[in-house]
């Protein structure tokens, strides 16, 4: 948690500070409110939530008549928390109750899927669990190599196929291995080629169906690169239409002031952000924590 705060603070707090500066002006004109709204939109909060936040803040400022920075900060914090905490359950389901829990990791290439699989393996192995990583991105040999490196780094076994093997058969084999070895968790890395929407839907749907011949899929985690803004969000939507996503992993939050995307993506997809990526190293994955996140933003 401390790490989350420290890591985020560096990149995010410029956004929070400029908002606080604006809000603590003696008199707030319409132009100021527009600027506040623009600042929120620039941080990828999304147009509708930004308008809502500004409307709520305007009302509160009128009622409280305060310019005190501490009060303004707590007002803004409440607004952001309200937009982020909409009652969605952020618990990551990693307990299969006697059989391996199965997690599918999906998303566009380059967003950080393979890295997330590795980091997640690290967290679970650190918790004393046995983990199997399945390299179901069979289109890129490099992706399977990368996952293998992660496997030996974090102490998880890796199941891969020949390049060009049916991704679903690798996913099947990974789960079969998990069951045979009585592993606690199987994490399946998938391909993220956005070739055609139907191609993607067919492929991810098939991977999921084939896994489910042996064990239910407990989580479908959609990986989204926080630095890609609205474009990334559009692509995420395509994945969410292809397969029932249960949680979002927001990566590369360490290098961007666009943390507002948390609000936009949850709103767009109706799915909670469960994990955040804060760097390229094995320990740079953290559960999403609203309070710590908003505190980091506001500096
Ligand atoms: P994939 O194609 O979706 O599997 O993406 P990769 O896992 O190969 O990641 C793409 C690049 O993003 C790699 O260079 C990773 O090290 C980097 N990356 C992944 N997650 C993070 C993160 O949270 N922060 C930063 N700064 N880089 C990340």
């Amino acid at each position: 948690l401390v790490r989350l705060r420290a890591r985020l603070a560096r990149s995010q707090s410029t956004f929070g500070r400029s908002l606080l500066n604006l809000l603590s002006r003696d008199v707030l004109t319409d132009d100021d409110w527009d600027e506040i709204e623009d600042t929120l939109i620039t941080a990828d909060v999304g147009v509708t939530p930004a308008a809502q936040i500004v409307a709520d803040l305007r009302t509160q400022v009128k009622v409280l008549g305060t310019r005190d920075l501490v009060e303004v900060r707590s007002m803004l914090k409440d607004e952001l928390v309200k937009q982020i905490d909409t009652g969605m359950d952020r618990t990551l389901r990693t307990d299969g109750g006697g059989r391996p829990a199965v997690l599918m990791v999906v998303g566009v290439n380059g967003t950080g899927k393979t890295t997330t699989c590795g980091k997640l393996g690290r967290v679970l192995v650190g918790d004393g669990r046995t983990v199997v990583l399945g390299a179901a991105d069979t289109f890129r040999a490099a992706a399977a190599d990368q996952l293998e490196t992660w496997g030996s780094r974090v102490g998880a076994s890796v199941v891969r196929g020949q390049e060009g093997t049916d991704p679903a058969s690798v996913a099947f084999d990974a789960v079969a291995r998990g069951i045979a070895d009585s592993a606690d968790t199987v994490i399946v890395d998938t391909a993220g080629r956005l070739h055609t929407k139907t191609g993607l839907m067919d492929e991810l749907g098939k991977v999921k169906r084939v896994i489910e011949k042996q064990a239910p899929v407990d989580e479908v985690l959609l990986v989204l690169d926080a630095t890609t803004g609205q474009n990334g969000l559009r692509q995420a939507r395509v994945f969410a239409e292809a397969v029932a996503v249960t949680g979002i992993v927001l990566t590369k939050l360490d290098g961007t002031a666009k943390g507002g995307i948390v609000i936009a993506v949850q709103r767009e997809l109706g799915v909670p952000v469960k994990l955040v990526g804060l760097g390229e190293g094995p320990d740079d994955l953290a559960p999403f924590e609203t309070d710590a996140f908003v505190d980091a933003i506001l500096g």
Side-chain angles (χ1 to χ4, degrees):
L1 219 66
V2 175
R3 278 168 55 77
L4 170 70
R5 216 166 276 171
R7 276 298 174 90
L8 287 172
R10 237 175 287 149
S11 53
Q12 309 271 346
S13 55
T14 22
F15 151 71
R17 271 198 303 270
S18 60
L19 270 179
L20 286 174
N21 279 339
L22 283 167
L23 276 163
S24 56
R25 282 182 188 170
D26 282 342
V27 181
L28 285 166
T29 65
D30 281 350
D31 281 351
D32 292 334
W33 285 112
D34 285 346
E35 204 177 330
I36 291 167
E37 196 166 328
D38 287 347
T39 306
L40 288 164
I41 291 169
T42 307
D44 278 336
V45 164
V47 174
T48 314
Q52 263 174 20
I53 291 172
V54 166
D56 281 1
L57 285 174
R58 278 190 95 143
T59 312
Q60 288 194 50
V61 165
K62 213 177 283 171
V63 173
L64 297 173
T66 179
R67 289 280 75 82
D68 176 63
L69 200 57
V70 175
E71 266 182 77
V72 165
R73 188 187 184 282
S74 100
M75 233 164 58
L76 184 55
K77 178 171 176 176
D78 289 349
E79 273 311 312
L80 293 170
V81 168
K82 197 170 89 188
Q83 293 285 335
I84 294 171
D85 267 347
T86 51
M88 291 189 277
D89 181 11
R90 296 185 201 280
T91 318
L92 189 69
R93 290 184 293 263
T94 55
D95 186 4
R99 44 113 191 140
V102 181
L103 285 69
M104 261 176 85
V105 179
V106 307
V108 182
N109 288 339
T111 51
K113 278 189 307 295
T114 306
T115 307
T116 297
C117 291
K119 292 177 189 170
L120 200 49
R122 163 80 148 213
V123 171
L124 294 170
V125 170
D127 256 10
R129 304 191 202 198
T130 45
V131 176
V132 175
L133 299 173
D137 181 354
T138 56
F139 300 95
R140 303 178 300 165
D145 291 345
Q146 197 189 335
L147 198 66
E148 232 165 9
T149 306
W150 273 107
S152 44
R153 200 170 178 187
V154 307
S157 44
V158 177
V159 172
R160 65 184 292 180
Q162 298 286 325
E163 193 173 347
T165 319
D166 183 355
S169 83
V170 177
F172 185 90
D173 288 349
V175 175
R177 167 84 77 85
I179 292 169
D181 292 355
S182 306
D184 298 305
T185 315
V186 179
I187 302 171
V188 179
D189 192 13
T190 62
R193 303 171 306 150
L194 266 181
H195 42 316
T196 62
K197 193 166 157 183
T198 42
L200 180 78
M201 286 197 184
D202 288 352
E203 195 175 291
L204 289 179
K206 186 174 170 195
V207 168
K208 188 157 184 270
R209 279 196 309 279
V210 167
I211 291 174
E212 285 171 343
K213 286 180 199 285
Q214 301 176 88
V217 173
D218 297 279
E219 292 275 0
V220 178
L221 297 175
L222 173 64
V223 179
L224 177 66
D225 177 342
T227 65
T228 56
Q230 295 301 314
N231 187 37
L233 203 51
R234 254 191 308 281
Q235 294 178 332
R237 210 176 301 134
V238 175
F239 277 84
E241 281 165 18
V243 61
V245 172
T246 59
I248 294 154
V249 183
L250 201 56
T251 59
K252 311 189 191 179
L253 268 178
D254 48 307
T256 177
K258 301 210 171 245
I261 196 83
V262 168
I263 293 170
V265 71
Q266 291 194 151
R267 203 184 152 89
E268 277 285 324
L269 306 183
V271 175
V273 173
K274 292 192 170 178
L275 298 166
V276 290
L278 300 166
E280 298 183 87
D283 296 316
D284 295 331
L285 185 75
F288 181 81
E289 238 273 347
T290 309
D291 239 50
F293 183 78
V294 174
D295 277 339
I297 282 181
L298 297 183

